[in-house]
Amino acid sequence: MTDLEQILSEARAKVAAATQAESLRAVDREYLGKEGVVAGLLAAIPTLEPSERRAAGQGANEVKTAVLEAIEERKSALAREALSAQLSGEGFDPTLPGAAQRRGSLHPITQVTRELEDLFTSMGYSVLDGPEVELDHYNFEALNIPVDHPARDSQDTFFCDPEGHLVMRTHTSPVQVRAMEQLEPPFRAVAPGKVFRQETTDASHEHTFHQMEGLVVGKDISVGHLIGAMKTLLRGIFGRDLDVRLRPGYFPFVEPGFELDARCPFCEKGCSVCKRTTWIELLPCGLVHPNVLRMGGIDPDEWSGFAFGLGLSRLVMLRYGIDDVRHLLGGDLRFLEQF
Amino acid sequence: MLVSIKWLGRHVDLEGLKPEQICEDLTLSTCEVEGLEPFAPHMASVRVGEVLSREPHPDADKLSLCQVAVGEEEPLQIVCGAPNVDAGQKVAVAVVGTRLPGDFKIKKSKIRGVESRGMICSVRELELGDEHDGIWVLPPDAQVGTSVAEALDMEDWVIEIDNKSLTHRPDLWGVRGLAAELGAIYDRPLKPLDLTLPEVGADPAFDVRIETPACSRYMGLVLDNVQGGPSPAWMRHLLLAAGQRPIDGLVDLSNFVMLDLGQPNHVFDLAEVPGGIVVREASEACKFTTLDGEERALQAGDMLVCSAEQPVALAGIMGGLDSRVGETGSRRLLEVATFHPATVRRTSSRLGLRTDSSARFEKHLDPTLPSKALAHFAHLLTQWQPDVRLPAAISDCGDWTDPAMEIELSGDHVRRALGVDLTDDAIRSILERLGLGCTEGEGTWTVAIPSARATKDLTIAQDLVEEVGRIHRYGNVPEAALIADVVPPPVDARRNLVRRVQDRLAGSGQMHEVLSYSFQSDDLLETLGWTTEPHVEVINPVAAGMSRVRRAVLPSLLGLLAEGRRQSGDLRLFEVGKAYVPNPDAEDGQPTERHELALAWAKPAAAADAAFDDSRLLHLRGALQDLFAHLEIEAPTWTLDDQPPSWAHPARALVARLGDSGPPLARLADLHPEVAVALGLEGELACDVAVAEVSLDQALGAPQEASGYRPIPRFPGVKLDVAVLTAEETHAGDVQALIEKAGKGLVRDLELFDLYRGESLGEGRKSLAYHLQLQSDKRTLSDKDCAKFLDRLERGLGESGAELRRS
Ligand SMILES: [Zn+2]
């Protein structure tokens, strides 16, 4: 090892050993100061043989540059360490909560309705609307439920006049005939909205709730199509395939008519939601009765269709695990804030 | 409806079928099964005992001490209080440990110092009837030690069926009809039943006259030498299983026939119907006391069965109190009739008197059924009481026709509608299992519909599609994809508008969306003085004072304020909904529908001496302005509302119109202080409340004003604040106009940030402070431009009696 290498190596060792700015400055002074080692090397050059002077000058400068670099590097390392020590010294309570964020909310029925509307419109359904105060004609008569039909009993109707001419609609089905009057077949439509039943309220019964009617009119619409459409619907709602079963159900405006049950999405062997049956009664549906098509001005020999009535309130309760239907329209802020 | 499986078994062989299986199959093919329960399950543990000896209790006159054999080594000593207990009887014994109805557990006990190890039961204690005047004496051949259920063949299951699911099937309102259904499901034949009319004597038929079209058939059969007494045990047990209390032999038989065949019938004491039967409508309002002792107010048109003297039954619904079958006479009249469904239904629903009989008639019964039911009754009666005589010809009158009919059906129709690949043979076989005979035609069948299914249920080909589908099982129908051209549905402007409103308010507006009832309480409307306003009203509200359908959405929110304020210091609610206003001019009578947005914002008021006007009114106005801008509708004109609604503070009410004189787009106001108090917003709930309503119908029709894009300025602008001191009466809008005028088109982003009143300003003075920006599209503005602007502003303000505050 030459002298220069020896000097440089010692200098680097001293730089590395410096742990504070002060000691680093001492190294700086020792090597690069006016009286320092490098200055000494330079000062000694005139004493050398002329042929050696050039190399010695170069060597001294190389030592100077190298020491300077080492010191700078060490200096920024020390600064980083100091900053890091300072920052980590600040300490922070990781359990401090985020600042409260004020927010509004959309009603859960609105949220689920939108989801379904989007699902249906993506499949070519129109979204329709119908009046809550409805004519007997649309609520019953045109749906193949004439006056004195026993099926009217199960509807628990609110009447708006003694003649029963005007009623609070008992289902969203009146939109079926209104849709037929408005649209040219073939068409697909859904109609969400409020419906009313004159019944005593409790945790699972409300006099006002929400439904969504669906109606498809086309050529040769079959029960198979209905099953297919309902499975697609359930896939959209629950995000996976659910077994369904159709069993006979009587609704005068469909023929044949069904109740559609879906395999309980919450259990495998029975739970309180499915009343231990593993089936959830989800929606009534069926092929549109030819009389209803006729009432809507559609030729039943040419067209056929299916209809279904989805209980939106019930679906919302299933979705969020709401145990009391009265919360939905009760307007309690503690309820609304959760959505 | 409760149906006993043993009863079903009288009509169809159910051998090898588990009760659960039967329920499952009924559910999938026929109707809704709501439950399955064992019949009288406690009877499995009540044992047949034999009273070996009876001795008087040493310390009690009315008690007996019995030794009862129950099939164990030692007889049991049982103390019994019944007077009819006797040695040699077979009795029902509840041994120690048995549980009886009412969760009554039999324990070993001491009665008056004597040990008793069980109980000899009465019929009532076993809930098998009302008799409690003594213990139940079993038939002598009952096997000692076996369960009573087994010994008396009482083991049974009861299926509960949802009546609603049978609305369209009058034939299923009888056990035999339901059995036929099971026969079709399992392809098993119905057992034969003798329904031929009985032999009768030569006396002339009982006199029956029908004076109303609402009775299409009336059959009468005179029964003579009828004895009283309980009905046979097998019948009582079946009735019990079906949920019917056994009453008296003849009544039980009448009920049994009704439940068995679905045909209501009635037995009169012949002495109570002197001079024959007349079926007629009440000609005027009158009173009639029914069998249950209730006095009923009848109206003209209600159908009555009358004797020559007086009404004896409310036709098809319930007999009269006086027509109760007495114990005395042995001569009776059996009535089996067909009454008009709507007439029965109208009367029974008006009276709130729904009976097993009316429920069946209103389903539209088969008019051929009365003769079958009459025959069934007569055969069962004569089997039970062989001495009964039928002296007179059967009365049978009325204008009825057999509803049996034919429907044309093709296999293709069935396959197309169900979407299944069933062969013609398979379809035909299903129909025939259901008793629907098929005759081959040209590519179609002619399907014969028997009267029992033809009254209302099966009338068109689609009905037969259902018959095939449900027996084939819908679970066997493969799912199929709906195929059609995909055409995007038309743009739904209203729905889009509603979504944007909801999103804006729930988003940046930080408001909670409410959905509320369409009914508004009279109390609530009273606080608004609205009860005299025309409302759509329901005549049968859920509660008194809840009949009005809302004519505006806003009151629904008002009703939530007090409770909401308790939950939150800063309450912001909105609702999008419908309201209805009666419209006497509408041809169809339908009320006018309004789509509305209602908003309410409540927060404790700023301190009374606060300098800055931080009212909810301005905040809500800001939210509405933001909303309208977001909806890209033309900015409305806001003015003081000269016709403020009753909920509005009369001087702090605004109305926003599209154009200067258009209909209101929105109304916005402070809540009227009196209304606030009436709503409970006082004391610690007192607060500053601003409310608003927006007509979504107007918003939907409003001219659109796209917000568009404005190029980003190329030159830097100058930001500055100005404060203007002016008289209290000066409107902020005038000050703003002066600022804009002084800016010569350079003023951007003008924003009022302070409205201050204070002693230092002097009485009747206020200070308005604005942030603004001077901005040119052509050049960089300098301090000189700014100074020029302030000079112009100072002059302009000075001319209007205001002044620029130089700080
Ligand atoms: Zn479950």
Side-chain angles (χ1 to χ4, degrees), chain A residues 262-280:
Chain A
R263 213 34 118 168
C264 178
F266 306 105
C267 71
E268 278 175 8
K269 290 182 173 168
C271 66
S272 62
V273 176
C274 58
K275 295 180 192 136
R276 323 239 158 253
T277 63
T278 76
W279 291 104
I280 289 192

Side-chain angles (χ1 to χ4, degrees), chain B residues 323-354:
Chain B
S323 77
R324 232 175 350 179
V325 179
E327 293 284 313
T328 48
S330 67
R331 284 170 67 83
R332 308 291 161 87
L333 177 72
L334 171 67
E335 161 199 292
V336 194
T338 307
F339 297 118
H340 186 240
T343 308
V344 171
R345 186 168 178 280
R346 254 193 306 260
T347 301
S348 87
S349 48
R350 196 192 70 243
L351 296 176
L353 180 60
R354 319 307 293 263

Side-chain angles (χ1 to χ4, degrees), chain A residues 105 117 130 153 159 206 255, chain B residues 345 466 495 512 517 539:
Chain A
S105 61
E117 285 175 2
D153 286 351
F159 297 100
E206 250 291 19
E255 186 64 58
Chain B
R345 186 168 178 280
E466 172 163 50
R495 211 157 285 277
H512 293 291
Y517 298 101
I539 57 175

